[in-house]
Amino acid sequence: MMKTDSPWVTDFMSRLEAVTPHETAFHQAVGEVVPSLEPVLDRNPVWRDGRILERLVEPERVIEFRVSWVDDAGVVQVNRGYRVEFNSAIGPYKGGLRFHPTVDLGVLKFLGFEQIFKNALTGQPIGGGKGGSNFDPKGRSDGEVMRFCQAFMSELFRHIGPDTDVPAGDIGVGGREIGFMFGQYKKLTNTFTGVLTGRSTDWGGSLIRPEATGYGAVYFAAEMLGANGSSLEGKRCLVSGSGNVAQFAVEKLNHLGAKPVTLSDSGGFIHDPDGIDLEKLAFVQDLKNNRRGRIIEYVEKYANAEFTPRDRDADHNPLWNVPADAAFPCATQNEINGVDAANLVANGCRLVSEGANMPTVPEGQEIFREKGVLYGPGKAANAGGVAVSALEMAQASSRTFWSREEVDRRLGGIMKDIHKHSLEAAEAYGRTGDYLDGSNIAGFLKVARAMHDQGVI
Ligand code: NDP
């Protein structure tokens, strides 16, 4: 939780922790939001009396199910599947599916809770949800991934629908997995609908959806810098991860004249002091998306780059010790701890724009705030992905198809608006310039009004 001397916040969190023991990632996500909302509830006692916040931290529905499938060796495998339908006050549940061995209910509740605020910030009519499985696609054949996805959807299909709950991708779920799940949904329901986003453009997807989260995080950074009379031109940038979000963050940084110098995966990170240009990025995209290789292979191809293996016992991640002007964490949660945040600041980093969800621990966030780093929290900075998912839903339901330029223009406009509304909300509640408080407040205001209007349900 963020540092606080508010007895109300401490009491709220203690009660939440008592009823949701072991869900530490969820506690962290809620603890990041609640302190921002105290002045909002003080000013709107009707929401306090209506226990809007108490209702908001309780998912409307949690679905947990068995996923059994047969691997290539003929062995029966059993995984656990989930869908957390968190809040539908402003629209159908919307949020990704994550396939990773670390997935459990606490992780999905953290992601689903964040998603409520993020989706409200986009200005699109979408509620918050998240799902996934502890299945690990790494090292699995295409056939195994297909059989897993089919088994997963054989249960999930009865809970989702284009007006109910519209999942998308996340860690471990890209175009391949969305294809297999959509195929199974279609077969079981005999309908062709906009029930999953992140689809191929050949069968109902939107242009710019794969790019949207990474591009959006860079657009948000450009907005933060622009508001402070600066730009990304010539800035050295650290990027973590090498999946969907990281790849397109690197692409957009190149477009805007910045120099991304790092990428990583769970095995370690590469540092290329010459910059990861578009040609090198194409190599990474082929390596990661087609050959499903490891980032270490980058240094075999580009001799000036160095690879540093991951040390799980170290108290910091050396990626965040590389001198740079800006950082774009795009891998996973809690990848920047207090030591990492201090190292970033000591080495000259003045901006952090989070492509990943909750990549910075609360101690790190405090450091960024104290040192005046421009800090764009994930729920604002990475909202571009879900925003374009909503645009995909709009195109699917009206059977229209917008050009790349059109979708990119709308994405740019949405990121500008999120930046503006976050700053305005922060200003209105005495937290001038604080994007974390501002995005929490702006997202909450919209959802709280809707919950109030719809009565106690
Ligand atoms: P991908 O699966 O495409 O890529 C994830 C990357 O992060 C991989 O390089 C992976 O390495 C690395 N990674 C994942 N888990 C860990 C870990 N525990 N330790 C170290 N490295 C790790 O996922 P995305 O790019 O889609 O997602 C990245 C982040 O962005 C996540 O936090 C996600 O929630 C967030 N996000 C994604 C959106 C989207 O549109 N896809 C939308 C909004 C947020 P390895 O391959 O070795 O596991």
Side-chain angles (χ1 to χ4, degrees), residues 31-71:
E32 184 181 305
V33 169
V34 174
S36 309
L37 301 184
E38 191 168 17
V40 184
L41 294 177
D42 286 345
R43 207 180 287 179
N44 297 278
V46 65
W47 293 344
R48 199 182 284 256
D49 296 344
R51 304 193 75 195
I52 296 285
L53 191 55
E54 286 80 353
R55 285 194 269 152
L56 196 60
V57 297
E58 201 60 59
E60 291 175 9
R61 190 177 301 109
V62 173
I63 301 144
E64 187 175 326
F65 50 97
R66 183 183 71 204
V67 187
S68 325
W69 57 284
V70 181
D71 71 15

Side-chain angles (χ1 to χ4, degrees), residues 160-438:
I160 62 175
D163 300 316
T164 314
D165 184 352
V166 186
D170 191 77
I171 290 178
V173 179
R176 174 182 62 168
E177 292 75 17
I178 293 289
F180 293 148
M181 287 191 277
F182 181 77
Q184 185 73 352
Y185 181 88
K186 184 164 65 73
K187 185 173 174 73
L188 291 170
T189 60
N190 196 25
T191 56
F192 192 111
T193 69
V195 74
L196 284 164
T197 55
R199 291 186 274 164
S200 159
T201 47
D202 290 332
W203 39 276
S206 173
L207 290 165
I208 302 287
R209 174 60 190 93
E211 291 89 340
T213 309
Y215 276 20
V218 175
Y219 289 151
F220 195 83
E223 286 300 313
M224 291 196 287
L225 288 167
N228 288 275
S230 182
S231 80
L232 280 164
E233 180 80 41
K235 298 272 191 298
R236 289 175 69 81
C237 300
L238 307 179
V239 179
S240 65
S242 50
N244 171 267
V245 180
Q247 290 173 17
F248 289 106
V250 166
E251 181 167 290
K252 187 50 73 179
L253 286 170
N254 271 284
H255 292 166
L256 298 186
K259 190 190 245 197
V261 293
T262 60
L263 280 169
S264 70
D265 62 23
S266 50
F269 78 95
I270 59 105
H271 174 208
D272 184 341
D274 301 336
I276 303 163
D277 61 19
L278 293 177
E279 186 210 310
K280 294 171 180 173
L281 174 64
F283 166 80
V284 172
Q285 289 179 312
D286 179 51
L287 172 73
K288 284 285 166 182
N289 308 348
N290 302 330
R291 294 189 277 131
R292 301 200 180 263
R294 310 303 298 156
I295 200 67
I296 190 173
E297 293 170 54
Y298 185 99
V299 298
E300 289 158 20
K301 171 104 175 149
Y302 301 107
N304 274 355
E306 263 181 42
F307 175 75
T308 306
R310 180 173 172 200
D311 176 358
R312 285 171 199 268
D313 298 325
D315 69 344
H316 71 288
N317 179 349
L319 189 162
W320 306 121
N321 217 359
V322 175
D325 304 299
F328 295 79
C330 295
T332 191
Q333 64 267 21
N334 294 337
E335 52 170 320
I336 298 181
N337 66 19
V339 180
D340 296 321
N343 286 341
L344 279 166
V345 173
N347 283 315
C349 177
R350 290 288 164 263
L351 174 140
V352 176
S353 186
E354 295 183 338
N357 285 308
M358 206 168 76
T360 309
V361 304
E363 189 191 346
Q365 293 177 324
E366 284 296 341
I367 291 170
F368 293 151
R369 277 173 150 169
E370 278 164 17
K371 301 292 181 189
V373 172
L374 291 172
Y375 171 62
K379 62 172 75 70
N382 72 35
V386 74
V388 173
S389 275
L391 301 182
E392 181 173 332
M393 289 163 73
Q395 291 171 81
S397 66
S398 58
R399 294 191 157 70
T400 49
F401 191 66
W402 297 329
S403 66
R404 279 184 77 81
E405 293 70 27
E406 173 67 15
V407 182
D408 198 23
R409 186 184 64 73
R410 288 179 190 244
L411 169 64
I414 289 170
M415 297 314 296
K416 246 187 208 325
D417 285 349
I418 293 174
H419 176 266
K420 179 166 169 277
H421 295 149
S422 299
L423 275 188
E424 285 171 354
E427 178 79 27
Y429 284 89
R431 309 274 170 97
T432 303
D434 191 314
Y435 291 100
L436 179 58
D437 283 326

